[in-house]
């Protein structure tokens, strides 16, 4: 019977347990140069010491105007590689594996003078109206994703996650609400995503898994639902995605059409639906910070991995405590053993 501390392998990625730290923007690049600093080092390495099997570094953007804010991480230049490499090497020393979330905020780039997007439609009345990318610029954007993935691989990651969720650029292309283009990237809503997937794969070693985070349903009026997301996930899988990370929403202001649930495990039904219908491994996320519940998601085969976000902001040693609670060996560092008496 599998549980939260059963090791997991997908292609060349071998994890000691099923606990994932999901990407969480820190908005902490005070120098505004996209380069990771000591905050990021401590933040990620402490979760590795805390027993997390798999750490996905926050949204890291492929160009300066792809950042939500100027305080976000970037991988648009080779000069951004060494600081990430230092973090990744240290995380490895503590037994965790690392991915990085490669992204572009599109119309949700708040500090860009004029954000870019598939179509010139603002996120809400308070945000800037983006400029629609030309067909040529869309092709250049694919190349920016390619270069960022190349740099991430150079920095030593074990996997890549593409950010196709939460209303950022890939999601903007995929949603009929934000993509009103008449060119090839509008006629086929998944074309941009598929080209980014192919570009990413071309820079990744054969046995390195490609993860894609998606919003499996939208929460705005007329937004897509699980049937549509099953259909586009099948296309993305055929294009090369090895695993999906199942989130939801983010494409517009939360309004009458429904709020995301805020109860425990609110996105697990979506993860399970994608896993079953697409026949693909998935990461479940969203209020899974009760160890018994996270363990059940694995045991009941609803997902292959479980991500704990806010729970890990509260407690970097979430995984070690979960091990104690579940009576499983979580690899408590010898320096910390007196803090975790056996029950
Ligand atoms: C501070 C913060 C920053 C976040 N940044 C990102 C991000 O960079 N990329 C992303 O896909 N999701 C981001 N998220 C969403 C989380 O990855 C996660 O899906 C969400 O918090 C739900 O999981 P939880 O209930 O375990 O926190 C962020 C969440 C928080 C709290």
């Amino acid at each position: 019977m599998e549980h939260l501390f059963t090791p997991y392998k997908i292609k060349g990625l071998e994890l000691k347990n099923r606990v994932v730290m999901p990407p969480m923007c820190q908005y902490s690049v005070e120098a505004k140069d996209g380069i990771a600093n000591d905050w990021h080092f401590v933040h990620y390495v402490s979760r590795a010491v805390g027993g997390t099997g798999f750490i996905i570094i926050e949204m890291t953007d492929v160009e300066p105007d792809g950042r939500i804010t100027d305080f976000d991480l970037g991988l648009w230049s080779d000069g951004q590689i060494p600081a990430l490499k230092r973090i990744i090497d240290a995380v490895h020393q503590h037994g965790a594996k690392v991915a990085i979330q490669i992204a572009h905020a599109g119309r949700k780039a708040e500090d860009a003078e004029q954000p870019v997007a598939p179509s010139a439609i603002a996120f809400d009345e308070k945000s800037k109206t983006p400029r629609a990318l030309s067909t040529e610029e869309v092709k250049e954007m694919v190349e920016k994703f390619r270069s960022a993935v190349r740099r991430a691989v150079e920095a030593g990651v074990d996997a890549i996650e593409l950010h196709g969720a939460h209303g950022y650029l890939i999601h903007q292309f995929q949603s009929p609400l934000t993509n009103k283009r008449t060119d090839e990237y509008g006629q086929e809503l998944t074309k941009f995503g598929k080209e980014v997937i192919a570009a990413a794969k071309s820079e990744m070693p054969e046995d390195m898994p490609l993860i894609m985070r998606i919003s499996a349903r939208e929460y705005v009026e007329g937004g897509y639902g699980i049937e549509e997301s099953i259909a586009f996930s099948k296309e993305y899988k055929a294009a090369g995605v090895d695993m999906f990370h199942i989130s939801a929403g983010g494409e517009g202001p939360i309004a009458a059409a429904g709020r995301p649930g805020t109860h425990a495990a609110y996105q697990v039904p979506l993860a399970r639906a994608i896993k079953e219908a697409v026949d693909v491994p998935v990461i479940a996320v969203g209020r899974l910070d009760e160890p018994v519940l996270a363990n059940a998601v694995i045991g009941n085969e609803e997902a292959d991995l479980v991500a704990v976000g806010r729970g890990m902001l509260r407690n970097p040693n979430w995984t070690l405590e979960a091990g104690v609670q579940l009576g499983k060996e979580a690899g408590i560092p010898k320096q910390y053993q007196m803090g975790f008496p056996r029950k």
Side-chain angles (χ1 to χ4, degrees):
M1 195 61 177
E2 294 187 336
H3 56 75
L4 205 54
F5 290 91
T6 312
Y8 182 74
K9 184 172 190 303
I10 175 166
K11 297 182 114 177
L13 174 66
E14 292 188 44
L15 305 174
K16 64 180 175 181
N17 60 44
R18 307 298 183 100
V19 185
V20 180
M21 178 186 190
M24 286 184 285
C25 282
Q26 297 297 292
Y27 308 109
S28 294
V29 183
E30 304 302 336
K32 302 185 179 182
D33 55 7
I35 298 176
N37 57 35
D38 275 359
W39 175 268
H40 302 93
F41 184 86
V42 172
H43 174 67
Y44 291 111
V45 178
S46 56
R47 272 68 189 181
V49 171
T52 315
F54 189 32
I55 290 174
I56 306 178
I57 295 175
E58 68 202 75
M59 174 158 171
T60 298
D61 303 298
V62 305
E63 65 170 351
D65 281 354
R67 293 174 291 182
I68 304 172
T69 77
D70 289 349
F71 299 93
D72 299 4
L73 290 181
L75 262 180
W76 60 80
S77 129
D78 287 355
Q80 291 158 334
I81 299 172
L84 278 175
K85 185 168 177 357
R86 178 170 166 258
I87 294 174
I88 294 164
D89 289 348
V91 165
H92 282 158
Q93 275 175 31
H94 295 286
K97 297 293 166 67
V98 195
I100 188 163
Q101 189 183 50
I102 303 294
H104 190 295
R107 69 175 186 163
K108 288 174 82 174
E110 294 168 9
D111 290 345
E113 211 165 293
Q114 185 174 33
V116 294
S119 302
I121 307 167
F123 178 76
D124 61 17
E125 62 281 359
K126 282 176 270 153
S127 27
K128 297 169 193 157
T129 301
R131 180 177 67 76
L133 291 159
S134 70
T135 306
E136 198 44 49
E137 285 173 324
V138 177
K139 293 182 194 299
E140 285 164 18
M141 189 63 80
V142 173
E143 293 311 306
K144 288 175 189 172
F145 273 86
R146 186 196 307 278
S147 303
V149 169
R150 196 247 311 145
R151 294 184 185 106
V153 170
E154 217 172 299
V157 294
D158 305 289
I160 296 288
E161 177 170 292
L162 293 175
H163 200 344
H166 302 168
Y168 296 111
L169 192 65
I170 295 175
H171 184 170
Q172 287 163 31
F173 271 92
Q174 177 187 284
S175 174
L177 298 170
T178 41
N179 184 347
K180 306 285 187 195
R181 301 176 70 88
T182 51
D183 68 356
E184 59 199 283
Y185 294 100
Q187 283 153 15
E188 194 187 353
L189 298 182
T190 52
K191 187 175 171 69
F192 178 68
K194 287 191 288 195
E195 289 187 0
V196 169
I197 291 164
K201 289 292 248 200
S202 76
E203 298 293 339
M204 293 163 60
E206 194 67 32
D207 68 343
M208 183 184 283
L210 178 65
I211 302 164
M212 187 161 186
R213 198 172 227 213
I214 60 163
S215 284
R217 59 164 291 196
E218 297 185 310
Y219 290 112
V220 291
E221 204 67 60
Y224 66 72
I226 188 70
E227 290 310 320
E228 291 87 344
S229 59
I230 286 170
F232 69 65
S233 298
K234 283 182 177 164
E235 287 189 50
Y236 291 151
K237 182 189 172 194
V241 172
D242 299 295
M243 179 176 230
F244 287 93
H245 192 167
I246 310 301
S247 190
E251 66 295 319
I254 292 168
R259 280 186 83 84
T262 46
H263 43 271
Y266 62 99
Q267 291 172 153
V268 169
L270 300 170
R272 183 186 194 140
I274 298 284
K275 181 175 171 59
E276 285 175 357
V278 185
D279 189 23
V280 70
V282 297
I283 306 173
V285 66
R287 290 282 319 269
L288 289 168
D289 38 324
E290 282 298 329
V292 171
L293 182 59
N295 194 43
V297 170
I298 301 298
N300 293 330
E301 298 179 10
E302 294 179 298
D304 301 85
L305 302 174
V306 165
V308 177
R310 288 164 292 181
M312 277 200 202
L313 294 184
R314 283 196 301 279
N315 179 6
N317 296 324
W318 187 92
T319 310
L320 302 180
E321 289 210 352
V324 172
Q325 261 196 51
L326 298 170
K328 304 291 184 197
E329 188 46 64
I332 298 166
K334 66 176 188 309
Q335 299 90 332
Y336 288 0
Q337 267 165 9
M338 285 176 75
F340 294 88
R342 283 270 162 210
K343 278 187 180 163

